[in-house]
Amino acid sequence: MKKAIAILLCMLMSFAVLGCSNNDAPVEPSAPVESNTPAESQNPEQTNAAEPAQEGVNVAENSDIVVVTGSDMVTFYPINAANTLDGGIQKLMMDGLVGFDKDYKLIWMLATDCEANEDSTEYTFHLRQGISFQDGTPWNAEAAKVNLDIMANQELKYKKSSNYRMIDHTEVVDEYTIKVYLKYSFGAFINYLAHPSALMVSPTQLQNDPSSVETGAIGTGQYSLIEWRPGEYWKLALNREWWGYDKEICGGEALVANNAGFNTITFKPISEAATRVAMLMAKEAEMGGASSTYVETLTGAGLTVEYQTTGLSLTYLYMNCQKELFKDVRVRKAINMAIDIDTMINVTEGGAAMRADSYITPAVSYYSSQAAELYKYDIEAAKALLAEAGYPNGFEVTMWTMNNSSSVQRGEFIQQQLEQIGIKVNVVPCESGVLSSNVSGYSGDPAETGYDMYLRGFSPSTGDADQGLARFSTAMFMPAGSNYCLYSNADYDVLMEKGVATSNSDERAAIYAEAQKLIWDECPCVPLFFTTDGYVYNPEKISNVCYYPDGSFYLRDGVYVG
């Protein structure tokens, strides 16, 4: 089989080279659609629409599958995870008070409902009963409090601590009721509790062996971690006692059918796209991301390729605005004008993306298009701006990106584009762990980051504009948040504070529309394209699998058919 994969890999690499000049029309993904209105998103459905589970779990003991990914896990502890892949895997192992279904509609998970006061500063959650963590610790208000208190503690400086900076304190009302008090009104609080960083971990593990949560957090989820060998694989096993199969615990209708799930799921991180494709074609893996270059090859081999319809992901080229070079908006505008984004989408994405016209995607609440103000591709105008800013001969910069083949290809395209206006770009591919430590976890002088520019995607997994836009506020400098361009604007900061201080939909829409216009004009980064992530799977082995709109794996309803 290894020989077969090697032969396939050679063929695929040849195809990839030829594919760059292929004149065939690219496969068109479905266009993103508007997400639920904010008012609707604050009312999670009581249960999923899956069929009720029968007595016992009908998942075969031999239903073992392999999934290939573009990068490795960094951490299994939700509050300390800074990338979409980690969050998607954690959602298989742990549950939150609320969560999302595959269409990103809010649903109740470990809570059954919530009451909030009029100004959105006090939230009372009623918890689901009859649930235990996989180490036997009971799920109750005390367990919720342990997790929420850690989330609220900003001194711990976890990578997603800032998501919960609004929490003042929590109070156990009774065994299955907990009340959360906020420091100020925060209209998007329920959405933030559906974010992967709010997944609940066993309080016994947190109290007795806190360091172990990074390498294997224990939750109440559908799966548990068997083994993690960094750089090689991580393996999850089905929890047949998961509460989501129990229609009584779920209020009369199970969260998923009794045949949903796989005996084990082994995830293998493979940075090279051609190698992932070769493994899928050789039936060495049942699912993975679909590189647009190989769509025809994959479908020709009998595999199914599909695309998200409501993507939350946007790929950005960040510029460190704390470095002297990028403090000048003329330099930032020149770079925006020097990249032919439409051509980039065809060359690096196979046409399977859409040019960004805002700093959030249409699937995020309160999206406001800036299409009328798009930066036009104009090399001569870009050169003139650089000369006006004092750089007639250009300059040299370092760009960091992930080390998978797709990211490197994007970096090289930008490198070639900026060379036309005299900017020499040194592209530095980095492993996900390195980026987690030296970008997301960076705590040094903002002007001294190792990168001048950073090429990376981002998904606001809350589905709310606050996470997508407030990340560019001054309070979100790393490591507190995800302001990778270290942009700071007092007027923008005020808008972000106002945006979550009200739960009125019309007010929030107006505030975020103003914010999107302001940051578009300031252009601290280049918002390149809305990503409609493609995924591929073997329909002879599995069904009911897809991606969440944030680009992470959705396997909760997956069924083994092989």
Side-chain angles (χ1 to χ4, degrees):
M1 185 59 73
K2 288 183 178 179
K3 182 178 180 181
I5 291 178
I7 294 172
L8 276 169
L9 186 55
C10 290
M11 294 171 62
L12 288 166
M13 285 181 170
S14 298
F15 177 84
V17 172
L18 295 171
C20 291
S21 58
N22 193 334
N23 293 320
D24 292 341
V27 175
E28 292 292 337
S30 301
V33 298
E34 294 283 355
S35 62
N36 294 328
T37 63
E40 290 171 334
S41 70
Q42 292 299 318
N43 295 286
E45 298 292 334
Q46 285 294 331
T47 60
N48 203 330
E51 296 179 3
Q54 304 300 317
E55 292 299 324
V57 179
N58 186 27
V59 177
E61 293 289 342
N62 67 342
S63 57
D64 304 305
I65 68 168
V66 174
V67 177
V68 286
T69 72
S71 59
D72 199 3
M73 288 288 291
V74 176
T75 177
F76 286 91
Y77 189 30
I79 193 66
N80 206 29
N83 66 75
T84 302
L85 172 67
D86 285 15
I89 302 305
Q90 291 157 4
K91 283 187 281 191
L92 290 169
M93 300 167 55
M94 288 158 273
D95 306 306
L97 296 173
V98 289
F100 291 107
D101 68 8
K102 63 183 178 182
D103 298 317
Y104 241 57
K105 292 180 181 178
L106 284 165
I107 57 173
W108 293 112
M109 295 293 284
L110 294 178
T112 59
D113 55 58
C114 173
E115 299 145 12
N117 65 349
E118 189 173 342
D119 62 356
S120 301
T121 57
E122 298 177 9
Y123 290 79
T124 301
F125 293 92
H126 302 282
L127 308 182
R128 211 176 287 280
Q129 302 182 30
I131 298 174
S132 294
F133 289 89
Q134 292 182 25
D135 62 0
T137 304
W139 162 250
N140 53 31
E142 291 288 353
K145 179 174 173 58
V146 169
N147 281 271
L148 288 162
D149 287 351
I150 290 173
M151 291 157 54
N153 188 344
Q154 299 302 296
E155 293 183 2
L156 295 175
K157 298 186 183 301
Y158 287 121
K159 293 187 179 70
K160 290 299 177 183
S161 292
S162 61
N163 277 2
Y164 308 100
R165 63 196 182 281
M166 78 294 289
I167 298 178
D168 184 76
H169 67 282
T170 58
E171 173 190 334
V172 172
V173 178
D174 59 42
E175 187 175 7
Y176 292 104
T177 308
I178 188 164
K179 192 168 185 177
V180 183
Y181 296 85
L182 306 187
K183 299 172 184 174
Y184 44 83
S185 296
F186 196 82
F189 188 54
I190 297 295
N191 287 75
Y192 270 73
L193 289 179
H195 189 273
S197 55
L199 295 169
M200 298 287 143
V201 177
S202 167
T204 300
Q205 182 184 25
L206 289 168
Q207 292 166 352
N208 296 343
D209 191 10
S211 63
S212 69
V213 297
E214 299 284 354
T215 55
I218 298 170
T220 61
Q222 188 178 12
Y223 291 88
S224 60
L225 180 67
I226 297 176
E227 185 179 18
W228 178 30
R229 293 194 176 185
E232 297 182 35
Y233 66 86
W234 65 94
K235 189 172 186 177
L236 308 183
L238 184 67
N239 172 19
R240 286 177 163 76
E241 302 301 318
W242 182 47
W243 62 269
Y245 292 113
D246 192 319
K247 59 186 178 183
E248 292 185 9
I249 293 177
C250 292
E253 186 178 26
L255 190 63
V256 299
N258 68 341
N259 65 332
F262 306 101
N263 186 54
T264 65
I265 308 174
T266 301
F267 294 88
K268 294 186 177 182
I270 309 292
S271 62
E272 175 55 54
T275 305
R276 296 196 298 273
V277 170
M279 291 178 66
L280 288 158
M281 291 177 64
K283 307 301 168 64
E284 287 289 299
E286 281 68 45
M287 186 176 183
S291 171
S292 58
T293 307
Y294 302 109
V295 169
E296 290 186 11
T297 304
L298 291 164
T299 55
L303 301 171
T304 298
V305 177
E306 296 184 2
Y307 285 87
Q308 303 164 306
T309 58
T310 55
L312 299 171
S313 301
L314 200 160
T315 298
Y316 305 83
L317 175 61
Y318 302 96
M319 294 171 270
N320 183 347
C321 297
Q322 296 301 307
K323 296 201 172 187
E324 197 62 37
L325 181 67
F326 293 119
K327 288 181 179 179
D328 194 320
V329 70
R330 293 170 297 185
V331 173
R332 305 198 300 261
K333 286 184 175 180
I335 289 174
N336 271 266
M337 297 169 67
I339 301 173
D340 185 349
I341 297 175
D342 292 328
T343 298
M344 182 179 184
I345 289 170
N346 287 326
V347 172
T348 68
E349 312 308 307
M354 290 179 294
R355 180 171 181 177
D357 61 2
S358 183
Y359 275 56
I360 53 176
T361 80
V364 179
S365 64
Y366 308 112
Y367 153 83
S368 178
S369 173
Q370 307 300 308
E373 304 296 332
L374 287 180
Y375 290 95
K376 294 180 180 179
Y377 176 58
D378 190 329
I379 293 298
E380 293 308 314
K383 285 181 178 178
L385 274 176
L386 282 186
E388 185 181 320
Y391 301 100
N393 300 315
F395 46 78
E396 184 174 350
V397 292
T398 297
M399 177 205 296
W400 286 4
T401 187
M402 293 188 69
N403 67 339
N404 60 65
S405 54
S406 297
S407 296
V408 172
Q409 185 183 18
R410 292 166 185 158
E412 291 174 346
F413 181 90
I414 292 172
Q415 180 186 56
Q416 293 167 3
Q417 293 280 287
L418 296 185
E419 186 177 8
Q420 298 177 94
I421 61 172
I423 298 177
K424 180 181 178 182
V425 179
N426 300 307
V427 180
V428 181
C430 303
E431 295 181 350
S432 55
V434 172
L435 295 176
S436 179
S437 299
N438 296 301
V439 180
S440 302
Y442 182 76
S443 58
D445 184 338
E448 298 297 328
T449 59
Y451 66 89
D452 301 305
M453 299 193 295
Y454 179 39
L455 179 62
R456 189 73 183 266
F458 184 85
S459 295
S461 296
T462 63
D464 188 86
D466 179 71
Q467 191 192 12
L469 295 174
R471 59 185 293 255
F472 293 104
S473 62
T474 308
M476 290 297 177
F477 278 22
M478 306 92 73
S482 304
N483 187 349
Y484 301 139
C485 51
L486 295 155
Y487 169 68
S488 179
N489 180 300
D491 293 334
Y492 188 82
D493 294 346
V494 169
L495 289 171
M496 292 301 99
E497 291 169 3
K498 289 181 177 179
V500 291
T502 176
S503 56
N504 182 287
S505 297
D506 292 338
E507 291 178 6
R508 295 191 79 203
I511 291 166
Y512 289 126
E514 184 179 352
Q516 286 169 81
K517 183 181 187 311
L518 188 158
I519 197 169
W520 188 267
D521 292 341
E522 287 277 287
C523 58
C525 61
V526 184
L528 294 165
F529 43 80
F530 302 144
T531 307
T532 47
D533 292 309
Y535 55 93
V536 55
Y537 64 91
N538 182 353
E540 296 178 357
K541 290 289 186 180
I542 60 177
S543 66
N544 290 359
V545 296
C546 63
Y547 272 3
Y548 279 105
D550 68 356
S552 60
F553 291 102
Y554 180 86
L555 302 173
R556 182 187 296 157
D557 299 316
V559 174
Y560 188 77
V561 296

